[in-house]
Amino acid sequence: MDAATIAVSALVGGCVSLVTAYVTARLQGAAEQAKWRREFAQVYADVAGRENDHAQRLAAQFAAGFVKYRSNSTGHNERRFIAQGITMTIGRGEDCDICIEDGQLSRHHALLRSDETGVIIRDLGGHNGVLVNGRGINDSSKLLSGDVIRVGTTELEFFTLR
């Protein structure tokens, strides 16, 4: 190999390394941002649950909506904000964003996906399905404020913040 070929190979290798590093950083940044939004919305769910109007308005800037449900394990009412631009899982698996102790739920039962058009719930194919306002959904359904979601024996109420 001559010096020119070696120089071009080194240059191309360096460019590929830079592009790979950039793409990796962007993907990690997006994941971190989604995680931060989810955690931020959750903290404000707790504050807003105390009927603090200022906290409610601030949470609304970062969330598309929230679900309310009664926890089977604690017996307390729970509220989970759905941050804009993220996907949250519902199920009995400990890795779910909304983890519900319900023997009728799959480990990963449903997804809540938020985008600029609103919040959509998607059935992940669990044996007992997903009901919205008493009707089973085939694949997914756009949620409207006041909709009642039934997964297993648990009911969640969905509310928009817009």
Side-chain angles (χ1 to χ4, degrees):
M1 265 194 215
D2 65 351
T5 305
I6 292 172
V8 168
S9 294
L11 182 61
V12 168
C15 288
V16 168
S17 294
L18 285 173
V19 169
T20 302
Y22 174 77
V23 170
T24 301
R26 293 292 293 188
L27 290 175
Q28 288 173 341
E32 285 298 314
Q33 183 180 20
K35 179 182 174 189
W36 179 85
R37 282 178 176 266
R38 187 169 46 246
E39 290 172 356
F40 181 85
Q42 184 55 47
V43 168
Y44 270 90
D46 296 336
V47 174
R50 298 183 193 121
E51 304 302 325
N52 181 328
D53 289 338
H54 178 68
Q56 186 74 22
R57 284 192 306 274
L58 188 56
Q61 294 177 17
F62 293 93
F66 66 93
V67 291
K68 282 191 331 186
Y69 64 97
R70 187 169 200 69
S71 170
N72 294 335
S73 61
T74 66
H76 295 109
N77 290 326
E78 301 284 339
R79 186 186 309 197
R80 295 288 185 265
F81 275 73
I82 304 161
Q84 294 181 27
I86 68 159
T87 300
M88 297 175 73
T89 54
I90 301 173
R92 60 181 168 80
E94 291 181 12
D95 60 333
C96 288
D97 300 297
I98 302 174
C99 181
I100 302 172
E101 290 185 27
D102 182 335
Q104 300 297 312
L105 284 182
S106 301
R107 283 189 306 272
H108 300 103
H109 200 90
L111 286 177
L112 291 170
R113 183 173 46 87
S114 153
D115 62 24
E116 63 279 347
T117 65
V119 176
I120 295 171
I121 188 163
R122 191 172 123 216
D123 186 347
L124 294 178
H127 181 68
N128 294 315
V130 175
L131 302 176
V132 175
N133 298 326
R135 292 186 302 275
I137 64 172
N138 292 328
D139 181 43
S140 63
S141 177
K142 182 173 182 175
L143 295 174
L144 303 173
S145 197
D147 280 351
V148 176
I149 305 160
R150 186 174 186 89
V151 290
T153 61
T154 304
E155 287 190 346
L156 302 94
E157 291 180 87
F158 171 77
F159 298 95
T160 60
L161 293 173
R162 303 267 169 216

